[in-house]
Amino acid sequence: MIATPKRPARRRPRRRLDHRRGRRRLGLGLVVLMIVALVATALRGGSTPHPEAAVAVSAPSHALAPDGAPIPTLLATGPNGLELDLPINQARVTAIVYHGVGDTRVVPLAPAGHQRNAGLLTRLGNLLTGASGGSGPGYYIDGAGSGPDTGSVDVGAVAGTRVYAPVDGTVVSIRAYVLDGAAHGSVVQVQPTSTPADIVTLTNLRTAGRIAVGDQVTAARTKLGTVIDLSKVITQELAKFTSDAGNHIHIEVGPAPATSLLL
């Protein structure tokens, strides 16, 4: 009886295994490329803000756009639905900086927009979660002050720039802003219509003649005054983030009827 030769064993399973390994290596390579791209994007500072809501980092005084009311733009939010609008015309803003003021009574704010000096891990997280969409104003957080890092916000602008109400509400106080025994502009306090338990305090401005206690104001529409020049009076920390002396409007939120402590 003639023996039938055995057929050679098939090697298809091994080929399939090699094919699977190749796909895994390809997938791993794509993941690595994506991570490298994300890191490169984060190091460049993320995506470009939406043109209508973008805020200039700095602008030479001779090249500033005509002054006027800002485009209604959310600056920050607070508890209980409080919303603060940008009080300065977008083309005039030199920088937006949040910092602590050493007072536990201030209400920490939640900045809108995107943080320009965020750490690498924060940028990567924002990119992965889609939180860095780019809309809204760019801002900085200065951790040099004590208390919550977002306990107040400075909106930079050259002296003489118009300042508008950041909220709808009622003017409840106007008084002199005193530094070293001398008055330098005014302190204006507004009670928001939406959150009457809060008081929004603005300093570093010279009030408009027609603004008085009891007046109703509209966010981004009612002029409160103009930014004053404090460059010869104090060293302004905002200058670390701008190309000028760092003049700005300072904003805090605190509980009513207590008066916010100021810088």
Side-chain angles (χ1 to χ4, degrees):
M1 184 174 182
I2 300 175
T4 303
K6 296 182 179 181
R7 296 181 180 179
R10 295 182 179 181
R11 296 185 178 181
R12 290 183 180 177
R14 185 170 184 176
R15 291 179 183 174
R16 291 177 181 174
L17 181 60
D18 291 340
H19 183 62
R20 291 173 183 171
R21 289 177 178 174
R23 286 189 299 178
R24 290 176 182 174
R25 291 173 182 172
L26 178 60
L28 180 60
L30 291 175
V31 171
V32 172
L33 288 175
M34 289 177 62
I35 293 175
V36 171
L38 288 173
V39 171
T41 302
L43 289 175
R44 289 196 302 267
S47 56
T48 303
H50 191 282
E52 291 185 357
V55 173
V57 176
S58 62
S61 58
H62 64 274
L64 290 173
D67 202 356
I71 298 172
T73 301
L74 182 64
L75 174 67
T77 59
N80 304 317
L82 173 66
E83 293 186 352
L84 298 177
D85 272 18
L86 189 68
I88 301 287
N89 186 290
Q90 280 83 350
R92 291 259 179 164
V93 175
T94 56
I96 297 174
V97 180
Y98 292 83
H99 61 89
V101 292
D103 181 8
T104 57
R105 290 176 294 175
V106 297
V107 176
L109 302 172
H114 54 283
Q115 185 181 347
R116 295 187 181 276
N117 62 339
L120 178 60
L121 292 179
T122 299
R123 292 181 183 178
L124 284 175
N126 290 340
L127 288 170
L128 290 172
T129 60
S132 59
S135 61
Y139 63 87
Y140 299 90
I141 292 183
D142 186 355
S146 58
D149 286 343
T150 59
S152 70
V153 58
D154 294 340
V155 182
V158 298
T161 299
R162 298 174 186 174
V163 179
Y164 292 80
V167 293
D168 295 340
T170 305
V171 177
V172 294
S173 175
I174 300 176
R175 66 179 188 277
Y177 182 35
V178 179
L179 289 172
D180 295 330
H184 297 278
S186 302
V187 178
V188 177
Q189 293 187 310
V190 179
Q191 187 173 32
T193 302
S194 61
T195 58
D198 296 322
I199 292 292
V200 178
T201 301
L202 301 93
T203 63
N204 299 7
L205 76 160
R206 180 171 288 106
T207 55
R210 60 181 179 274
I211 290 295
V213 173
D215 285 353
Q216 300 295 309
V217 296
T218 302
R221 287 293 175 267
T222 303
K223 179 183 174 183
L224 298 181
T226 56
V227 176
I228 63 172
D229 184 5
L230 292 178
S231 60
K232 297 180 181 179
V233 181
I234 58 174
T235 299
Q236 301 179 105
E237 292 297 316
L238 195 79
K240 297 187 300 184
F241 302 90
T242 68
S243 59
D244 60 8
N247 288 311
H248 60 278
I249 186 73
H250 176 78
I251 302 175
E252 296 177 16
V253 178
T259 301
S260 301
L261 295 181
L262 305 172
L263 293 178

